[in-house]
Amino acid sequence: MKTDMEKDDGFCINVYSPGNFIAKEINIGTLNLGTQPNSNGFSDEQVAKALTACVGKGKVIDQKQKWAGAYWYLRWACNYPVDVQKSCDKIKSLPYERALEIPCDYNNIRRICSCSFMDYDVRDMEKVKVSNMDQDVFLWCREIALKLAEELGKSYLPQI
């Protein structure tokens, strides 16, 4: 079957059998989704820039324990390691333009990262059932995840 899409002005997906279609690689302009091993579509520089915008006094990550929210988001949305120590090490190794005011440290977030809501995909946070005991932690982790998503979304916008 021939289509008008063969001249590479977009993309066309032909599925000839019932079931789910799983794309291993999607290219949109210069953006490549699915094949970057580190961050599922975002470069380390983009993640570092987004974190820089979120960390410091007066920002969403204004306490060392709030890095748990960044861990939650990066684990699910950017394919960062599930192991909290490895994830913290990856966050520390990012190419920041300047040192962060509040660095990520495993010892500050390890207990928070064991909360049951951390096992739910952050992109489905409206479906998460949170215990009364974890409610406050969930709310600030949610705020951090939403802010990181916003900041990373800016990397798709053209630079002016």
Side-chain angles (χ1 to χ4, degrees), residues 2 4 19 50-52 74-75 78 88 125 132 146 150 154:
K2 293 221 175 220
D4 292 333
L51 286 171
T52 300
L74 294 172
R75 170 188 171 185
C78 296
C88 285
M125 69 175 76
N132 290 336
L146 292 172
E150 176 187 333
K154 290 177 184 178

Side-chain angles (χ1 to χ4, degrees), residues 99 106 121 140 153:
Y106 166 76
D121 190 329
W140 51 256

Side-chain angles (χ1 to χ4, degrees), residues 31-120:
L31 178 66
N32 182 297
L33 300 174
T35 60
Q36 293 183 8
N38 293 341
S39 57
N40 201 24
F42 295 105
S43 69
D44 286 348
E45 291 78 14
Q46 290 169 321
V47 174
K49 186 175 180 179
L51 286 171
T52 300
C54 295
V55 178
K57 291 184 179 149
K59 298 179 182 179
V60 292
I61 301 176
D62 59 356
Q63 298 172 9
K64 54 190 175 184
Q65 294 82 5
K66 289 190 175 183
W67 272 103
Y71 160 80
W72 186 37
Y73 181 80
L74 294 172
R75 170 188 171 185
W76 289 100
C78 296
N79 201 28
Y80 271 48
V82 174
D83 180 89
V84 181
Q85 178 69 56
K86 289 179 182 174
S87 193
C88 285
D89 291 344
K90 173 129 180 76
I91 290 168
K92 287 181 197 178
S93 72
L94 292 173
Y96 299 103
E97 291 181 8
R98 57 182 160 69
L100 296 176
E101 191 176 324
I102 303 165
C104 182
D105 187 340
Y106 166 76
N107 292 319
N108 295 326
I109 65 170
R110 64 184 167 84
R111 297 187 82 211
I112 297 168
C113 291
S114 67
C115 291
S116 62
F117 70 85
M118 292 278 179
D119 290 330
Y120 289 89

